[in-house]
DNA sequence: TGCAAACCATAAC
DNA sequence: GTTATGGTTTGCA
């Protein structure tokens, strides 16, 4: 039985679906309704569920962690995430994605290089991510430093990156099962988008 | 810049 | 099985 909890923390709604001290699905959003809808969308389709008003201790802790991640705090705590029901490739991509450190981003292509497959396949796995923002799919962007897509909306993704800005300036390589995942500072994307906005306003000015 | 083709795992049929 | 569909990338005009 999937136990579903939703709670408002600091103005934002967070939700978890769990069973046997394992997290199956998470969600966040501006209202309770959308959070619950997302949870039911991403939950294994044939799993019976029940929505609870009072979070269990386990769920309460999970909700707090979600909120901390949302606020771009450095969260070291990790959870038992139930990934067994996911396709093997999706699981690999999500695990690699969860290794991207706070303040850094990876491109769809660099993840594809690290785990195999193609950038599009990585994008598909991101879209299927049941664990936002525990698995930080908002830290995956296009290779040209534009944002790409995001289930919760691009503005949400952009806001995340602004909050996660940490002032790093150099590339890093993360070891993912012996293969390297290249990551770069959030600033690269923020600067690139800033420049492109400047460029578009300049070209408008010239006309 | 803009467009077309290659990319490859999923889900739907 | 087969097809359609992407949260992409790359090359070429």
């Amino acid at each position: 039985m999937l136990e579903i909890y939703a709670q408002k923390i600091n103005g934002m709604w967070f939700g978890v679906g769990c069973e046997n001290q394992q997290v199956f699905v998470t969600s966040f959003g501006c209202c309770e309704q959308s959070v619950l809808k997302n949870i039911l969308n991403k939950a294994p389709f044939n799993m019976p569920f029940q929505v609870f008003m009072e979070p269990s201790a386990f769920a309460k802790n999970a909700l707090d962690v979600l909120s901390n991640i949302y606020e771009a705090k450095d969260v070291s705590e990790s959870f038992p995430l139930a990934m067994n029901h996911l396709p093997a490739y999706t699981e690999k991509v999500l695990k690699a994605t969860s290794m991207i450190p706070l303040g850094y981003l990876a491109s769809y292509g660099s993840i594809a290089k690290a785990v195999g497959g193609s950038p599009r396949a990585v994008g598909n796995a991101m879209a299927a991510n049941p664990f936002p923002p525990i698995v930080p799919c908002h830290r995956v962007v296009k290779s040209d430093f534009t944002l790409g897509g995001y289930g919760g909306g691009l503005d949400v993704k952009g806001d995340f990156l602004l909050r996660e800005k940490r002032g790093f300036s150099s590339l890093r390589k993360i070891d993912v099962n012996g293969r390297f995942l290249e990551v770069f500072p959030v600033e690269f994307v923020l600067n690139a988008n800033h420049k492109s906005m400047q460029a578009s306003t300049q070209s408008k000015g010239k006309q």
Side-chain angles (χ1 to χ4, degrees), chain A residues 144-146 187-197:
Chain A
D144 63 0
F145 297 142
T146 58
E187 276 78 357
F188 281 32
V189 163
L190 297 177
N191 292 340
N193 287 334
H194 184 59
K195 271 179 207 157
S196 67
M197 275 160 59

Side-chain angles (χ1 to χ4, degrees), chain A residues 110-157:
Chain A
S110 65
I111 293 182
K113 271 188 200 157
V115 305
S118 83
R120 295 207 89 151
V122 171
N124 282 332
M126 296 288 114
N129 175 21
F131 308 111
I134 295 185
V135 172
C137 55
H138 57 273
R139 293 183 194 148
V140 185
V141 298
K142 295 219 277 187
S143 61
D144 63 0
F145 297 142
T146 58
L147 287 185
Y150 193 64
L154 280 185
D155 47 345
V156 175
K157 186 171 184 173

Side-chain angles (χ1 to χ4, degrees), chain A residues 32-78:
Chain A
E32 182 176 20
Q33 201 181 22
S34 68
V35 166
L36 290 177
K37 203 170 81 177
N38 280 335
I39 291 212
L40 292 178
N41 264 339
K42 291 280 171 65
F45 72 99
N46 54 355
M47 206 167 169
F49 67 90
Q50 187 172 355
V51 180
F52 292 85
M53 304 316 279
E54 279 300 312
S56 64
F58 178 77
K60 173 78 182 115
N61 187 36
L63 290 166
D64 282 339
V65 169
L66 283 182
S67 157
N68 284 332
I69 294 175
Y70 180 79
E71 290 170 14
K73 294 178 184 161
D74 207 346
V75 178
S76 57
E77 191 169 354
S78 68

